């Protein structure tokens, strides 16, 4: 019930306002190979949303350490989440990684299949959030995404980005409020 600042990348995942109030919380363990999904009552619903929530990675040159450009992510397919019956009733999803790290050890959250949301939705993560494809364009709902950085990926995004190569983008529409870090973009 009390917040203690420990600095970026230090310590383990601590509960906070969004985590405490989320209708659905996804927490990846520190091994990077597993996660647990909790409903609003604290019940483990991981197996019930297994098709909708997975672990994956996304290339992100900003997090590059010269040997790997991939950021480990929790991936949430919002269409499959709605079909699972576990779309959060209160409209709040929280996703985090234990010992998430920063810089080249950063982790993230990837949102896919979000062209139609089952109801209003706020997604919160202390990590970078990647939104792939049209988001909230059919039967628009109130929607927001809060993250360390919010990255918009087009409908054509296929994860094939490599150093010196960028896949072509296509027309993509995003309808949500965005809250992200307060640092200015640096040249280069």
């Amino acid at each position: 019930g009390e917040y203690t600042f420990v600095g970026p990348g230090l310590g383990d995942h601590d509960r906070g306002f969004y985590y405490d109030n989320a209708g659905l919380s996804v927490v990846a363990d520190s091994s990077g190979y597993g996660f647990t999904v909790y409903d609003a009552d604290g019940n483990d619903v991981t197996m019930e949303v297994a098709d909708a929530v997975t672990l994956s990675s996304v290339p992100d040159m900003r997090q590059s350490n010269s040997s790997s450009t991939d950021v480990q992510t929790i991936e949430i397919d919002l269409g499959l989440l709605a079909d699972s019956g576990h779309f959060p009733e209160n409209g709040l999803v929280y996703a985090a990684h234990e010992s998430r790290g920063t810089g080249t050890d950063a982790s993230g959250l990837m949102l896919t299949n979000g062209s139609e949301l089952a109801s209003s939705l706020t997604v919160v993560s202390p990590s970078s959030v990647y939104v792939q494809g049209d988001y909230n364009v059919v039967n628009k709902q109130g929607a927001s995404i809060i993250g360390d950085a919010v990255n918009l990926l087009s409908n054509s995004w296929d994860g094939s980005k490599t150093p010196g190569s960028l896949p072509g983008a296509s027309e993509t529409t995003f309808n949500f409020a965005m809250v992200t870090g307060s640092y200015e973009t640096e040249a280069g």
Side-chain angles (χ1 to χ4, degrees):
E2 188 174 301
Y3 177 77
T4 303
F5 178 76
V6 294
L10 303 175
D12 287 333
H13 171 78
D14 290 325
R15 295 179 71 100
F17 175 83
Y18 293 110
Y19 183 55
D20 283 340
N21 292 285
L24 193 74
S25 298
V26 184
V27 180
D29 64 36
S30 58
S31 75
Y33 298 106
F35 61 89
T36 308
V37 182
Y38 301 99
D39 67 12
D41 297 321
N43 299 312
D44 182 341
V45 296
T46 307
M47 296 307 295
E48 297 164 47
V49 298
D51 291 337
V53 181
T54 58
L55 295 177
S56 64
S57 63
V58 63
D60 188 338
M61 298 305 290
R62 294 172 305 123
Q63 308 302 141
S64 173
N65 66 6
S66 75
S67 65
S68 174
T69 60
D70 288 347
V71 172
Q72 299 305 307
T73 60
I74 296 167
E75 183 171 331
I76 301 176
D77 181 311
L78 295 169
L80 292 176
L81 183 62
D83 292 344
S84 75
H86 287 283
F87 200 89
E89 288 184 27
N90 70 352
L92 179 59
V93 171
Y94 180 80
H97 295 256
E98 291 179 346
S99 304
R100 70 180 177 97
T102 59
T104 59
D105 293 322
S107 300
L109 168 65
M110 171 75 88
L111 300 174
T112 62
N113 197 15
S115 63
E116 183 173 13
L117 302 177
S119 64
S120 295
L121 182 65
T122 295
V123 178
V124 179
S125 179
S127 302
S128 293
V129 180
Y130 303 86
V131 184
Q132 195 271 317
D134 288 331
Y135 193 89
N136 192 27
V137 296
V138 179
N139 300 319
K140 289 186 233 176
Q141 305 288 331
S144 61
I145 297 175
I146 302 171
D148 179 49
V150 178
N151 303 275
L152 307 177
L153 306 173
S154 84
N155 285 312
S156 296
W157 177 259
D158 62 4
S160 64
K161 180 178 180 179
T162 58
S165 161
L166 185 63
S170 62
E171 186 172 316
T172 308
T173 302
F174 304 95
N175 290 301
F176 62 87
M178 178 189 320
V179 179
T180 186
S182 60
Y183 295 100
E184 291 184 27
T185 302
E186 296 179 17

